[in-house]
Amino acid sequence: MRKYLYIIKINFNTLTWLIDVHVVIFALLLMVNGGFVMMNHFLKITKKISLKTSILISVLLGFFTSYAVIAGTAVNNEFSRAGVLSHVYSSNLLARDYVIDVILPPGFNPQDQDKKYPVIYILDGYVHFPMTGFNMYLEQLVGDDGASKTPKAIVVGIEQPIMKYDWKIRTLDMTPTEIEKNGNVIGGGADKFLSFLNDELKPFINSTYSGDVNDQTILGHSLGGLFTLYTLFSQPESFDRYVIGSPTTWWDDDYIFELEDDFSEGNVDLKKHVYLFVGGDEVCNSDGELCGVAGVRKMTRKLKSRGYASLNVTKKVFKNEHHNSVVAPGYDQGLKFVMGRLTRKSK
């Protein structure tokens, strides 16, 4: 009988030790993954642990605390990206600065001044350039089939200095007319921003990086999409290809549709490549406003109804995408549509 009691006692002690060990391990995992606060809460609800376990946890806590003190540190640094040439351009026309980011095409040779490259301009570059710019570069590389998705081109992002970003300036630059909102007059500077692009920025890019003055593409989304439409109907010669995402067509009581009407009355042709896109979730809100899908469909119908012989236009509604998530797939598919016909087999 004593023999069995002794065995039971040994097994009980062994079980207690195993429980204590698991308590220590679990506490350490909490400490490493969830911090010391979580570990303390855990120990408070753990009522019965042995003295040995308490000592062991204390020793290990001291060790990990010392380790945390000598761990690596991080310091603030200016954001940089390999392969990106960045400029701060001070506009004389607008009397303010813009950050201009540039990705050069594969195999670019600055010594070859005779070689000219198409140029792709991305509005709202502070978000959209890092999101899509490098993908545009990758699609210029030759694939397994011996062809690239798009021709070699210079990719340019345009943005305000990130530390000085002001949404009012963006609204001013991207909109063709002024409106009153919450008692303030906003917008109405698209004509001046377009002059900045045509008269200052494009000559700088073309001369510095061998851009082709006869092969220019612009990509704009949201208010940037509105600006791109405005450019198409006011100074269409500014660009050869237009990729237009989720445009704010309802700005100033659908002003952009009036501008399209005026353009059609004075022009019999529009020799451009135009791709419009929108997220399938961009339907009218409860007030019947912000009708992204309806706006894109309406604009596409109007353009196709004009009978422009040289216009190459299409639209794409991306199912299950919203206003923000549609940018990357829209720019990707749009660029292939407006530029894909230029792709040539690698020799």
Side-chain angles (χ1 to χ4, degrees):
M1 186 65 176
R2 289 181 180 179
K3 178 180 180 181
Y4 290 116
L5 288 176
Y6 179 73
I7 293 174
I8 292 173
K9 182 179 179 180
I10 291 176
N11 289 338
F12 180 77
N13 289 338
T14 302
L15 179 62
T16 302
W17 180 82
L18 288 173
I19 292 174
D20 289 348
V21 169
H22 282 83
V23 167
V24 173
I25 294 173
F26 188 50
L28 291 176
L29 288 174
L30 285 175
M31 180 174 64
V32 172
N33 293 287
F36 295 120
V37 175
M38 289 179 62
M39 190 198 70
N40 289 335
H41 283 301
F42 170 75
L43 293 179
K44 286 180 181 179
I45 63 173
T46 307
K47 301 297 184 181
K48 295 182 180 180
I49 60 175
S50 69
L51 178 60
K52 292 181 180 179
T53 303
S54 299
I55 294 172
L56 181 56
I57 289 178
S58 298
V59 171
L60 290 173
L61 177 59
F63 171 76
F64 277 98
T65 301
S66 299
Y67 177 78
V69 171
I70 63 173
T73 59
V75 296
N76 293 331
N77 192 17
E78 291 186 5
F79 179 61
S80 63
R81 289 160 288 184
V84 176
L85 302 170
S86 191
H87 308 270
V88 176
Y89 193 101
S90 298
S91 169
N92 291 326
L93 287 172
L94 300 178
R96 54 180 172 267
D97 295 342
Y98 291 87
V99 174
I100 308 301
D101 290 330
V102 180
I103 299 177
L104 297 176
F108 179 84
N109 181 5
Q111 304 302 321
D112 187 359
Q113 298 296 317
D114 295 330
K115 174 67 176 177
K116 302 299 180 183
Y117 293 92
V119 185
I120 303 166
Y121 290 91
I122 306 173
L123 301 176
D124 290 322
Y126 68 102
V127 171
H128 296 160
F129 180 85
M131 180 195 304
T132 62
F134 283 103
N135 185 62
M136 294 176 190
Y137 173 87
L138 291 174
E139 294 194 336
Q140 298 174 30
L141 299 175
V142 174
D144 295 335
D145 60 352
S148 61
K149 296 296 183 182
T150 59
K152 293 181 179 181
I154 302 164
V155 181
V156 180
I158 310 167
E159 65 242 41
Q160 296 179 51
I162 195 65
M163 300 306 294
K164 300 179 182 178
Y165 184 81
D166 185 345
W167 70 269
K168 292 181 181 178
I169 296 297
R170 175 179 181 256
T171 303
L172 177 67
D173 288 344
M174 298 292 103
T175 57
T177 57
E178 294 181 341
I179 66 168
E180 183 177 343
K181 184 175 182 179
N182 300 325
N184 298 312
V185 176
I186 59 173
D191 56 339
K192 294 181 179 179
F193 186 73
L194 182 54
S195 294
F196 157 68
L197 294 183
N198 285 331
D199 301 334
E200 291 189 298
L201 182 58
K202 287 165 64 179
F204 167 73
I205 294 296
N206 292 336
S207 62
T208 305
Y209 299 112
S210 298
D212 187 345
V213 297
N214 297 314
D215 196 340
Q216 308 272 306
T217 300
I218 186 169
L219 288 71
H221 174 262
S222 194
L223 285 178
L226 174 64
F227 174 83
T228 307
L229 283 173
Y230 167 77
T231 302
L232 179 64
F233 300 136
S234 63
Q235 297 184 47
E237 69 280 0
S238 300
F239 298 92
D240 305 281
R241 299 170 180 81
Y242 293 77
V243 178
I244 304 164
S246 306
T248 313
T249 56
W250 54 88
W251 179 269
D252 195 10
D253 298 324
D254 295 347
Y255 165 80
I256 198 65
F257 292 108
E258 297 178 16
L259 188 62
E260 191 278 332
D261 288 336
D262 293 341
F263 177 84
S264 67
E265 292 177 1
N267 295 272
V268 296
D269 200 5
L270 184 59
K271 190 177 180 180
K272 302 296 170 186
H273 303 288
V274 179
Y275 182 92
L276 296 103
F277 69 90
V278 67
D281 294 344
E282 296 185 70
V283 295
C284 304
N285 62 16
S286 58
D287 296 325
E289 301 172 337
L290 311 180
C291 304
V293 174
V296 165
R297 285 175 172 165
K298 179 179 178 180
M299 182 59 73
T300 307
R301 285 196 304 268
K302 288 173 71 69
L303 285 171
K304 288 185 174 182
S305 72
R306 303 304 183 188
Y308 299 132
S310 304
L311 175 63
N312 178 35
V313 61
T314 192
K315 75 167 190 318
K316 172 72 173 180
V317 179
F318 287 85
K319 294 181 179 180
N320 302 318
E321 301 291 354
H322 54 64
H323 188 71
N324 295 318
S325 67
V326 77
V327 178
Y331 279 0
D332 177 64
Q333 295 299 311
L335 202 58
K336 290 174 183 175
F337 175 81
V338 299
M339 298 189 75
R341 64 188 65 250
L342 300 179
T343 304
R344 295 291 183 266
K345 287 280 185 179
S346 175
K347 296 182 179 180

